[in-house]
Amino acid sequence: MSASASRRETRYLQGPAGRLRLTLDHPDEPPRGVVLVGHPQPLLGGSPRHPVPHALARVLRDAGWLVVRPSFRGVDDSEGEHGAGEGEEQDTLLMITALREEYPRLPLALVGFSFGAYVFARAATRLEPRQPVDGLVLMGLPVGQVPDGRYYQPQPIPDNALLLHGENDERAPLTDLLQWVRPQQRPVVVFAGTDHFFKGCLPRAAAMVVEHLAVIAVR
């Protein structure tokens, strides 16, 4: 992977199931850190161009972060087939290794939405405690059996994770998440009256992500 001065850049990384596409959004100034932004369920049309990861990327770039949006397996021209989270976790760990090698002095954070949150929760858990990520935000994290019939194995979420969720999330019900985190008394930021896609309050949710990651950013 090589650096580029372009504002938006496409790179490719060889993963265990084939070539992976990465979309990089470069800030105008030297980056304050590197953040991976994960997209929703590919089997439901999720991609880096989905409104939620696209909005997050724009806000984080404007806040000075180098934003990397991977296309999960089988999305865009990323090779391989959908890996139900396990394969995507392997790919994410490979991306993190490559980015840490290229930007060793910059903090690295993960911001995942929906299926992307599940993948990044798995990857962050795998990296604990020896090589933890510097920041972790999980938005609309699916837990257990969700209404569309898929099952998402609950993850032992690292302590530094910020959990954001819509009160009326119809795809990853809030009650399932609360049941999972209740024994640990984990805080969850709930946006009242909104759905899985943070409709009507996505800018506020994105601002909260930036604020949460600001404490780890290079100044």
Side-chain angles (χ1 to χ4, degrees), residues 40 45 149 191:
F191 286 80

Side-chain angles (χ1 to χ4, degrees), residues 3-7 9 26:
S4 170
S6 63
R7 189 167 181 79
E9 176 188 6
H26 294 265

Side-chain angles (χ1 to χ4, degrees), residues 7-28:
R7 189 167 181 79
R8 176 163 292 173
E9 176 188 6
T10 299
R11 300 189 192 179
Y12 293 91
L13 187 66
Q14 189 64 29
R19 186 177 67 173
L20 296 167
R21 174 177 175 149
L22 308 178
T23 299
L24 282 71
D25 292 291
H26 294 265
D28 292 332

